[in-house]
Amino acid sequence: MAYSIAPGSLALSRSVLDRAADRRRDDDWLEKAWSADDTQVVVVAGDKLQVVDDRSALRFVTPADAPDGLRIFLGIDRDSGAGQTAEGRAVFGVVVKGDGDESYGGLRELGAVLDDREAGIAVNVIGLSNWHAVHTHCANCGEHTEVVEAGHVRHCPNCGLNHFPRSDPAIIVLVTDDQDRALLGRNEAWPAGRYSTLAGFVEPGESLENAVRREVLEETGVVVGPDIEYAGSQPWPLPSSLMLGFYARASAFDIEVDADEIAEAKWFTREDLRALVEAGTMALPGAISISRRLIEGWYGDSLTGSW
């Protein structure tokens, strides 16, 4: 296989900010950074971020203008010039209650328009916001946990256990056959004409390659052989996934869908795909998804038409 995802094309894999993990336990430094005139704060409600009026960028406020909420240290702009932190400009997130109003936007809307710096900030703070929302109590003893290390750890005062943000690994794969056709499937919940690559979560004790083989077999009945190539990864913090992209070659090609998650699956030539997309009878995953980039990597060019 000679397919690849174009470098820099994964919208949510971009990052510029130095996360400066060594500063998360330095309370004196954090308070100084919070009071600095050049510090920036992004406001988050659930999995949405406050944006500027034309919805082309994140809206940053000063600490003095930030609302009350859960304060999370996100990192330092090392290239912004030495600010009052003497290391660069500090960036924080503040998580507020509720789902946000029309001044907020989600990753599906913003991912393709944010620059590298803001895309990295967005996926980081949304992932942390979603994690805090569902990890308020200790999984070991049930006690309410305390937020420590600038929002990156929750500590149980009863049993002493520390809880850390999690990312759930999920494989996503474009499978080809001996005719170089691509296997795409339609989820049971999707309308006719909407197709994507196959995906699923990695199970405990399972390698990524075995997860690829298992998910493809379970969902479509297609057998994946030894030829599996890693293509790239992208965080998908909705709520906590890390999508690990692959290309794989099938060794047995008959399709028998599971009729549970997958309603139908088909082999597509490049000509099939182009004709259906141009006719408007087939919709591909959105531009910010790794699935779209896997398809375009196989196709050899960009494609129009998305969900």
Side-chain angles (χ1 to χ4, degrees), residues 17-24 29 73-76 78 87:
L17 201 68
D18 181 349
R19 296 194 179 197
D22 58 311
R23 291 300 191 184
R24 295 171 187 169
W29 185 92
F73 172 61
L74 300 176
I76 300 172
R78 298 290 188 185
E87 296 177 63

Side-chain angles (χ1 to χ4, degrees), residues 76-287:
I76 300 172
D77 272 323
R78 298 290 188 185
D79 297 330
S80 66
Q84 291 185 24
T85 65
E87 296 177 63
R89 179 175 53 200
V91 181
F92 288 80
V94 169
V95 181
V96 299
K97 294 181 179 179
D99 298 324
D101 55 24
E102 64 277 0
S103 67
Y104 289 76
L107 279 180
R108 288 181 174 86
E109 172 192 356
L110 301 173
V113 300
L114 297 179
D115 62 22
D116 291 356
R117 173 180 180 270
E118 294 191 1
I121 290 171
V123 292
N124 185 11
V125 75
I126 286 178
L128 287 167
S129 172
N130 286 332
W131 175 68
H132 281 292
V134 296
H135 286 81
T136 56
H137 289 73
C138 178
N140 184 52
C141 70
E143 183 69 26
H144 194 281
T145 53
E146 302 170 344
V147 178
V148 297
E149 294 195 26
H152 293 264
V153 177
R154 295 190 74 105
H155 174 75
C156 178
N158 183 52
C159 69
L161 193 66
N162 285 331
H163 301 269
F164 299 88
R166 62 180 296 168
S167 293
D168 300 320
I171 62 89
I172 184 163
V173 57
L174 186 138
V175 181
T176 55
D177 67 359
D178 57 349
Q179 301 176 55
D180 204 24
R181 297 180 299 176
L183 178 65
L184 301 178
R186 183 175 68 82
N187 188 284
E188 181 68 32
W190 297 345
R194 178 183 291 184
Y195 287 88
S196 183
T197 52
L198 305 175
F201 287 105
V202 180
E203 294 187 346
E206 186 175 43
S207 70
L208 298 176
E209 294 81 2
N210 285 339
V212 167
R213 295 187 179 96
R214 175 183 54 78
E215 285 290 345
V216 174
L217 182 63
E218 287 178 355
E219 294 184 351
T220 68
V222 170
V223 178
V224 170
D227 196 0
I228 298 175
E229 296 180 0
Y230 175 71
S233 66
Q234 175 163 275
W236 191 255
L238 301 171
S240 57
S241 298
L242 175 63
M243 306 303 298
L244 301 153
F246 292 88
Y247 289 107
R249 184 63 54 83
S251 59
F253 317 116
D254 291 342
I255 295 173
E256 184 177 350
V257 297
D258 63 4
D260 181 16
E261 293 183 52
I262 302 298
E264 59 178 328
K266 297 179 181 180
W267 294 105
F268 293 89
T269 67
R270 292 172 178 81
E271 293 74 20
D272 292 336
L273 194 69
R274 183 178 63 250
L276 291 168
V277 169
E278 290 179 350
T281 56
M282 182 176 184
L284 298 176

